[in-house]
Amino acid sequence: MWGIQRTRYADCNGSEASEENEIVVNIGGVKQVLFGDVLNRYPDTRLAELVDCSLKSPEEISSLCDDYDPDTREFYFDRDPKAFKCIIELYYYGEIHIKRGICPICFMKEMEFWKIDPDFLDDCCKCHLNEVEDELAEIAEKVRTILVDREGDPSAAGWQRFQMCLWRLMEKPESSLPAHIITIVSFIFVLVSSVVMCVGTIPDLQVEDSEGNLTENPTLEVIETLCIGWFTIEYILRLISAPNKMKFVLAFMNIIDFMAIMPFFVVLILTSFGTGVMELANVQQAVQALRIMRIARIFKLARHSSGLQTLTSALKSSFKELGLLLMYMGVGVFLFSALGYTMEQSHPETLFTSIPQSFWWAVITMTTVGYGDVYPKTTLGRCNAALSFLCGVIAIALPIHPIINNFVLFYNKQQVLETAAKHEIELMALRSGEGELEAAPAAHTHVCGAGVWDHAMRSCHSDTYIPLLKDPRRGAGFQTPSMDTSFESTAEASEYFI
């Protein structure tokens, strides 16, 4: 047990705190002496209520602490001593900071116990608290989604039940073994289609038609047709089973899927009109453009790759850094192309015919590519080129590091959320097998922004409320939240959810 701390603090007038109203508190085995005039700076808190305990009855004193020794006037609290060190800062500094290693959600429960308003928490700690609450809400949402995917809606019947089963089969590979197999098959079709599209451009594998023009190999066309058939059936089934048809059609990845199959059918329709239509120059250019659009199907891989999805999300969160990179490059390209054009005008064989034409040289120089098709021939032009690629390296390197950090943070966060969600599902299955899981369709009220729990943990259509229970609390006498359970704060909810 630690010794009694008797730290002196000066008040606002510079005088030391008086010992007349000192009290001794024992927080989890750690004793500390506090002074009444300091605690009375915040009279609505629990510690301030301990100052004049000689005027209070034993019942009132017992309601303020866990135990009390009248001989030594020592108050006992079964609380976290590390968190209390942060709590006591309020009385001396007017604000509270959460120390490293303390759970923000549990610390909010400590503040609630000591009757301290959350507004005294410093802004930086509030941001950390909001981040933790968002992560817990995301975990709860992932658990809810997994439960819905596995169990479905028991109240649905007929067509709705078939639609939900079909949606899970086509969209949720983790919901069942057949859904996982369909995902693998779809992934293989995407790879085969992409390889066939590339191999079909090799002249040695192409065949000549009646007019002597090279066309695609018939075997590759059959494979291409089979792949398009699979993509079409997959898209139609997903569209039929989609809960929200408009949202499905306008989704980015679904637009990619549509663009991957649309060129085949457009070319097929144009071909059916006869050779007269196909011989038109505009139609031929349109057909060629549609064939090139087939490269969009490679983006279908993102549907089956969590790594590509993470990269896309990281780039979305790095728009500011990407914009900064483009701004640096734009300014540099304009500046060095103008300087290069000006310095190279004196040379009779100059390759810099105009400033817009010099943009290409500036781009490949600042990005250190240097194809060599355009290069300076004067001494000043070469000095300008050396300066341009040095500035280009710096301009590219500065925003890249934050973009990489965003990707790493987002990827680690996704891994943690997925692992935590799977862990909660395993705990639920274990408790359900032991008969410890109870239905609790209760409406909870929260403070400190904890209202996310009700929405996140309740199934969209089901009346069964499945709480995420904190595993260490399981044991003798522990009960799961019942229909009458309500949480008064996020910190209290964290005793059940994590």
Side-chain angles (χ1 to χ4, degrees), residues 108-119:
M108 292 303 298
K109 185 176 181 179
E110 291 289 326
M111 292 185 63
E112 182 182 357
F113 174 81
W114 297 109
K115 300 181 180 180
I116 297 177
D117 194 279
D119 292 337

Side-chain angles (χ1 to χ4, degrees), residues 115-139:
K115 300 181 180 180
I116 297 177
D117 194 279
D119 292 337
F120 290 111
L121 197 63
D122 191 67
D123 291 338
C124 62
C125 298
K126 288 181 181 178
C127 294
H128 187 201
L129 174 64
N130 293 334
E131 292 177 358
V132 173
E133 288 180 342
D134 293 340
E135 290 181 1
L136 293 177
E138 291 181 14
I139 294 175

Side-chain angles (χ1 to χ4, degrees), residues 4 10 14 87 124 132 138 150 155 177 234 238 253 259 318 337 492:
I4 301 179
I87 296 293
C124 62
V132 173
E138 291 181 14
R150 289 185 177 182
S155 62
L177 179 60
E234 181 187 30
R238 292 172 54 239
M253 290 307 303
M259 291 176 60
S318 304
S337 61
E492 187 176 352

Side-chain angles (χ1 to χ4, degrees), residues 107-412:
F107 187 79
M108 292 303 298
K109 185 176 181 179
E110 291 289 326
M111 292 185 63
E112 182 182 357
F113 174 81
W114 297 109
K115 300 181 180 180
I116 297 177
D117 194 279
D119 292 337
F120 290 111
L121 197 63
D122 191 67
D123 291 338
C124 62
C125 298
K126 288 181 181 178
C127 294
H128 187 201
L129 174 64
N130 293 334
E131 292 177 358
V132 173
E133 288 180 342
D134 293 340
E135 290 181 1
L136 293 177
E138 291 181 14
I139 294 175
E141 179 65 22
K142 283 184 176 293
V143 172
R144 184 195 65 80
T145 302
I146 294 175
L147 292 178
V148 171
D149 293 340
R150 289 185 177 182
E151 303 173 3
D153 185 6
S155 62
W159 167 251
Q160 291 183 350
R161 192 173 187 85
F162 172 77
Q163 188 180 16
M164 291 184 60
C165 293
L166 185 60
W167 177 254
R168 293 199 302 270
L169 187 66
M170 303 303 299
E171 282 287 326
K172 308 293 182 180
E174 70 279 357
S175 62
S176 63
L177 179 60
H180 188 66
I181 294 176
I182 290 178
T183 301
I184 296 176
V185 172
S186 179
F187 184 81
I188 294 175
F189 269 106
V190 173
L191 289 180
V192 171
S193 176
S194 302
V195 171
V196 167
M197 182 188 65
C198 297
V199 172
T201 60
I202 300 177
D204 295 339
L205 298 179
Q206 295 177 342
V207 296
E208 293 184 358
D209 57 10
S210 58
E211 299 179 356
N213 299 322
L214 293 177
T215 60
E216 291 187 8
N217 191 294
T219 303
L220 297 180
E221 286 186 352
V222 172
I223 299 176
E224 175 76 8
T225 303
L226 292 177
C227 294
I228 292 297
W230 170 264
F231 296 151
T232 304
I233 295 174
E234 181 187 30
Y235 184 84
I236 293 176
L237 291 178
R238 292 172 54 239
L239 177 61
I240 293 175
S241 60
N244 190 330
K245 302 295 190 296
M246 184 60 64
K247 183 178 179 181
F248 175 86
V249 172
L250 298 179
F252 175 75
M253 290 307 303
N254 296 329
I255 294 176
I256 294 296
D257 293 342
F258 180 77
M259 291 176 60
I261 62 178
M262 183 265 296
F264 176 84
F265 292 101
V266 173
V267 173
L268 187 64
I269 293 173
L270 292 176
T271 305
S272 64
F273 288 146
T275 58
V277 176
M278 294 299 294
E279 290 177 356
L280 297 176
N282 294 336
V283 175
Q284 291 179 355
Q285 294 177 358
V287 170
Q288 186 65 22
L290 291 174
R291 289 183 179 274
I292 294 176
M293 286 178 60
R294 294 183 301 174
I295 62 176
R297 67 187 59 171
I298 196 66
F299 292 104
K300 288 171 64 68
L301 294 176
R303 182 181 302 282
H304 312 293
S305 174
S306 59
L308 290 177
Q309 294 174 5
T310 303
L311 176 60
T312 303
S313 301
L315 291 178
K316 288 181 179 179
S317 62
S318 304
F319 276 153
K320 182 178 179 180
E321 290 79 7
L322 291 174
L324 192 63
L325 174 60
L326 293 177
M327 185 189 71
Y328 287 162
M329 291 299 298
V331 172
V333 166
F334 182 82
L335 175 62
F336 291 111
S337 61
L339 291 176
Y341 170 76
T342 303
M343 295 175 180
E344 291 294 310
Q345 284 301 296
S346 60
H347 199 282
E349 299 179 358
T350 179
L351 299 176
F352 295 78
T353 57
S354 65
I355 292 181
Q357 186 270 342
S358 303
F359 286 169
W360 168 249
W361 169 83
V363 170
I364 63 176
T365 304
M366 291 190 67
T367 55
T368 67
V369 176
Y371 290 114
D373 53 343
V374 181
Y375 56 91
K377 297 182 178 181
T378 63
T379 303
L380 290 178
R382 291 170 181 173
C383 294
N384 176 62
L387 184 61
S388 67
F389 72 72
L390 289 177
C391 293
V393 170
I394 297 175
I396 294 176
L398 288 178
I400 288 298
H401 186 67
I403 295 175
I404 295 176
N405 283 342
N406 289 339
F407 174 80
V408 173
L409 292 175
F410 194 90
Y411 181 79
N412 291 337

